[in-house]
Amino acid sequence: MFAVDPGSIRGCLFRYVYIWQNNGDQYWMFLTHVGRRSIAGFRWFGFGPTGFWLYFGLDLNRIRSFTCF
């Protein structure tokens, strides 16, 4: 199993990031921290105006791919 390199996702700090996880989950995050083995930030839960932001952390080895905006 491979993990996302922290250097590759560090450029997404304080930006909106769309994440695809190895388990099939996919969602928006606003990234506020990149560590050696994990990331943290605010994840969007829900759909449209009924959703909400919640602080969330994730191990880098759970990320299949990502793109930042």
Side-chain angles (χ1 to χ4, degrees):
M1 179 176 295
F2 297 100
V4 168
D5 179 61
S8 65
I9 200 166
R10 187 165 280 116
C12 297
L13 267 174
F14 305 109
R15 296 173 65 184
Y16 292 102
V17 184
Y18 200 80
I19 304 242
W20 290 269
Q21 280 190 229
N22 296 329
N23 67 1
D25 286 354
Q26 51 186 324
Y27 46 84
W28 285 102
M29 276 189 81
F30 184 80
L31 201 57
T32 59
H33 173 77
V34 176
R36 286 186 7 207
R37 295 191 181 115
S38 63
I39 61 170
F42 294 91
R43 176 179 169 178
W44 181 253
F45 287 90
F47 300 98
T50 61
F52 56 95
W53 293 100
L54 188 65
Y55 197 73
F56 177 78
L58 181 67
D59 288 344
L60 290 173
N61 63 1
R62 294 178 177 252
I63 300 173
R64 182 183 340 138
S65 62
F66 66 91
T67 187
C68 47
F69 296 87

